[in-house]
Amino acid sequence: MDWFRKRKRKRRNIHEEPDDLETPQERRARWNSIRIIYFTMFLMSLGFSIILTGVWPYLDKLDPTAGKEFMGYIVGANPFGQMIFSPLVGWWGNRLGSIRLPLMLSLTVFTLSSTCYSMLEIFPWYRKYWMLGARFFVGVSSASIAVCRSYLSAATKIKERTAAVSMVSLAQVLGFVVGPGLQAVVTPLGDKGISLIPGVVTLDMYTAAGWINVLLGVFNCLLFLPYFFQERRIAAREAMLHHGMESEEETWKQAHPDYISSWTLICAFFVLVFNFVLLETLGTSLTMDQFAWTKAEALYYMGILMSVGAVVACITFVAIGPLCKRFPERKVLMWGGFFFMVVGRALYIPWGNEPPIIAEEIAVAQLNETYGYVNTAVNETEIVGCPSVQKWCYYIPAMTIAQFLLGYAFTAVGYPIAVTLIQTIFSKILGPRPQGVWMGLMTGAGCLSRVMGPVFVSFVYTRYGTIWTFGITTAMMIASMVWLQLVEKRLVAPDLPPVSQTHVELQVLSSEVINGKPSLEEYKPLQKKSDSNCT
């Protein structure tokens, strides 16, 4: 307990230590606003993931003729809307010089779209298209992630940036993990649910997920009222103070970002997220094909594996800060992030001798007896194994379970490190300038990978198998890693031009109060420093 109190007191002293940039009260207000950004990022991820497990039965209930292909369009509508609008929302935030209005409007769209998703039964026709539109506009609202990342870069000092980006990434991962869990919690409501307003509002296991989004969206929108959220941009002032500039605008105009390294990181982010989304999309069907698992077994074991992977990812996020204090961020990105991802992806290339078990039918009654399910249609069957329509199942070796688990473990460690440090280094390379458009481009790159991942699975995995699928993705990761190695020396914050001592002295003398101190008090240490240099 003594150690805990000392640790807490030390952290409090660090956060309240005065400096020339802000008072302790301003620092607390700044960190309160950053924590609101954390919650917003969590909610945007939650809004995408909470409906994933229930969207197919909900769509099938509303329109039995829709089919699974249309369900793919509905799932892809969210990242597609986010991809289109992320640069636009980022540009709007830059133009306004404030993120409050874009975020409140985005959260309003999020709330209304989630309400529409939960009330689809009121539409007599074209329900699947209304669902498609609702999910598209939820994606449009998620474009606010661009201005959240931009504000985080502007509201943190250089030494705080890595830890803050790690927490944002952790918030997003928690949103993806908590979403399906909340869907499971409301499952006891059943298919019929409770009719709150007959014919208008029904609370069942499908619509409850949307209503959770609505409540959290309203709460999040209230957090951006001026009483709670106060914008505190400190990155430009930090650079201005360190380099003796007269204004923040002058500071970021002098800092020219390296476009080669900026676009390199955007492309690396696309490749990284593409590989992660590919694994999420392919995981269940891959295990069913390779290990002849039933649907129940695949969902059960993959649920356990993803939960363990989420815990590993959370631990990794916490470890990023200490790692970057001992080693340069570029080295941690290369050898702790991309190298682990390359190994994890390469491990999925089969090295066995025997092909997977070709699909065969087994009695559902056997599954009911094994898992305790109640099913009156005991003569129904389920096809397990690698489908015979996939010709590669006859000659490509099967993956082993140990191989699959080891590859997933490397991915669970490498992805959090890489996705955090790419965003951290990217924000530092851009310097103290407004980053809304650039963050929109990076967010759009991540969304494009989420759109292309399922398409890649459909056209490459089903036609050519595991060797081509994981061979191509491994080659993509290796190419990204090699290119990052080539431009490694450029992955640094831009250097501002040096300012002469005379310019700093004139700046100090031209103001009566500098950083809350009388000009004479501020001038004395500068004058002494100047005299000592002359002697």
Side-chain angles (χ1 to χ4, degrees), residues 220-232:
N220 200 172
C221 195
L222 293 176
L223 288 179
F224 281 99
L225 294 175
Y227 180 79
F228 302 104
F229 183 81
Q230 301 174 23
E231 294 189 53
R232 301 284 181 180

Side-chain angles (χ1 to χ4, degrees), residues 295-312:
K295 292 179 181 178
E297 289 174 326
L299 291 174
Y300 177 73
Y301 292 126
M302 283 301 297
I304 294 176
L305 183 62
M306 292 180 71
S307 298
V308 173
V311 173
V312 173

Side-chain angles (χ1 to χ4, degrees), residues 342-395:
V342 168
V343 174
R345 197 55 66 243
L347 282 170
Y348 281 174
I349 299 176
W351 61 52
N353 296 320
E354 297 295 329
I357 298 174
I358 303 302
E360 60 178 355
E361 295 182 345
I362 62 173
V364 172
Q366 179 183 348
L367 302 178
N368 298 339
E369 182 179 353
T370 303
Y371 293 98
Y373 296 156
V374 178
N375 193 332
T376 55
V378 295
N379 60 339
E380 290 185 4
T381 58
E382 179 180 350
I383 297 177
V384 298
C386 202
S388 57
V389 294
Q390 297 176 173
K391 302 302 180 184
W392 56 267
C393 294
Y394 290 95
Y395 56 87

Side-chain angles (χ1 to χ4, degrees), residues 131-372:
M131 180 182 286
L132 180 68
R135 294 306 300 167
F136 174 80
F137 280 104
V138 169
V140 170
S141 68
S142 299
S144 59
I145 288 177
V147 291
C148 286
R149 287 175 174 161
S150 173
Y151 176 75
L152 192 71
S153 300
T156 52
K157 303 175 187 177
I158 290 292
K159 65 180 181 181
E160 301 170 337
R161 192 78 46 81
T162 302
V165 175
S166 297
M167 291 302 297
V168 159
S169 301
L170 176 59
Q172 289 184 281
V173 169
L174 288 177
F176 282 115
V177 173
V178 171
L182 289 177
Q183 175 68 82
V185 168
V186 299
T187 301
L189 290 171
D191 185 81
K192 299 297 182 182
I194 304 170
S195 181
L196 301 180
I197 302 177
V200 180
V201 178
T202 301
L203 188 66
D204 56 38
M205 63 181 181
Y206 310 126
T207 61
W211 289 120
I212 291 174
N213 281 342
V214 170
L215 293 175
L216 292 178
V218 172
F219 174 72
N220 200 172
C221 195
L222 293 176
L223 288 179
F224 281 99
L225 294 175
Y227 180 79
F228 302 104
F229 183 81
Q230 301 174 23
E231 294 189 53
R232 301 284 181 180
R233 301 174 183 269
I234 200 170
R237 289 190 322 198
E238 180 185 30
M240 182 179 70
L241 178 66
H242 287 175
H243 297 278
M245 298 294 181
E246 296 183 356
S247 66
E248 295 182 9
E249 185 177 0
E250 179 186 357
T251 303
W252 63 259
K253 283 187 176 180
Q254 292 293 332
H256 300 289
D258 187 332
Y259 293 109
I260 293 178
S261 55
S262 299
W263 281 105
T264 295
L265 290 174
I266 290 176
C267 294
F269 188 73
F270 167 81
V271 173
L272 182 72
V273 177
F274 178 83
N275 275 266
F276 185 75
V277 170
L278 176 68
L279 179 59
E280 280 192 331
T281 305
L282 191 58
T284 302
S285 58
L286 178 68
T287 56
M288 293 174 66
D289 291 351
Q290 296 293 304
F291 312 134
W293 286 351
T294 64
K295 292 179 181 178
E297 289 174 326
L299 291 174
Y300 177 73
Y301 292 126
M302 283 301 297
I304 294 176
L305 183 62
M306 292 180 71
S307 298
V308 173
V311 173
V312 173
C314 292
I315 296 173
T316 306
F317 279 122
V318 175
I320 291 174
L323 275 175
C324 291
K325 290 180 179 179
R326 297 195 60 182
F327 306 100
E329 290 178 346
R330 295 170 294 172
K331 298 295 184 183
V332 178
L333 171 64
M334 292 287 297
W335 303 107
F338 269 80
F339 179 75
F340 271 60
M341 286 291 293
V342 168
V343 174
R345 197 55 66 243
L347 282 170
Y348 281 174
I349 299 176
W351 61 52
N353 296 320
E354 297 295 329
I357 298 174
I358 303 302
E360 60 178 355
E361 295 182 345
I362 62 173
V364 172
Q366 179 183 348
L367 302 178
N368 298 339
E369 182 179 353
T370 303
Y371 293 98

Side-chain angles (χ1 to χ4, degrees), residues 395-418:
Y395 56 87
I396 290 183
M399 183 185 299
T400 65
I401 294 181
Q403 181 182 357
F404 178 77
L405 294 177
L406 192 59
Y408 195 91
F410 272 92
T411 301
V413 173
Y415 179 76
I417 295 175

